[in-house]
């Protein structure tokens, strides 16, 4: 997001289209699953193929999955260390 009071990963103001709390990511350790959810952002959260996530609907992400916020320039990859 763009607001440090509601987001852990904060984009600078110079990055257009990022909402205060754009989306949430959660890791469920017991199931070893990462879940993403768009938080009603105006510009959207997308899977790598361009599919826009429905606001408020959790989507599971596998290792290797890619998603982006607003534009493909803000792409993330789910990886293990």
């Amino acid at each position: 997001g763009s607001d440090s009071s509601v987001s852990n990963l904060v984009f600078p103001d110079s990055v257009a289209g990022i909402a205060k709390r754009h989306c949430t990511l959660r890791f469920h350790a017991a199931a070893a699953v990462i879940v993403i959810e768009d938080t009603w952002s105006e510009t959207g959260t997308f899977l790598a193929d361009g599919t826009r996530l429905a606001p408020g609907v959790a989507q599971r992400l596998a290792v290797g999955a890619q998603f982006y916020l607003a534009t493909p320039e803000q792409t993330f990859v789910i990886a293990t260390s």
Side-chain angles (χ1 to χ4, degrees):
S2 63
D3 183 342
S4 64
S5 68
V6 294
S7 297
N8 291 321
L9 176 62
V10 180
F11 285 80
D13 292 337
S14 61
V15 179
I18 305 299
K20 287 184 177 188
R21 184 183 343 168
H22 200 97
C23 66
T24 60
L25 286 168
R26 293 183 305 277
F27 177 66
H28 296 280
V33 171
I34 294 176
V35 175
I36 188 170
E37 186 176 326
D38 181 81
T39 53
W40 291 269
S41 65
E42 289 184 22
T43 55
T45 302
F46 300 84
L47 300 178
D49 67 2
T51 301
R52 186 173 183 158
L53 299 181
V57 177
Q59 171 79 39
R60 287 180 176 215
L61 297 175
V63 171
Q66 296 182 27
F67 67 93
Y68 63 90
L69 312 182
T71 65
E73 288 78 25
Q74 310 312 321
T75 295
F76 295 84
V77 178
I78 302 300
T80 61
S81 57

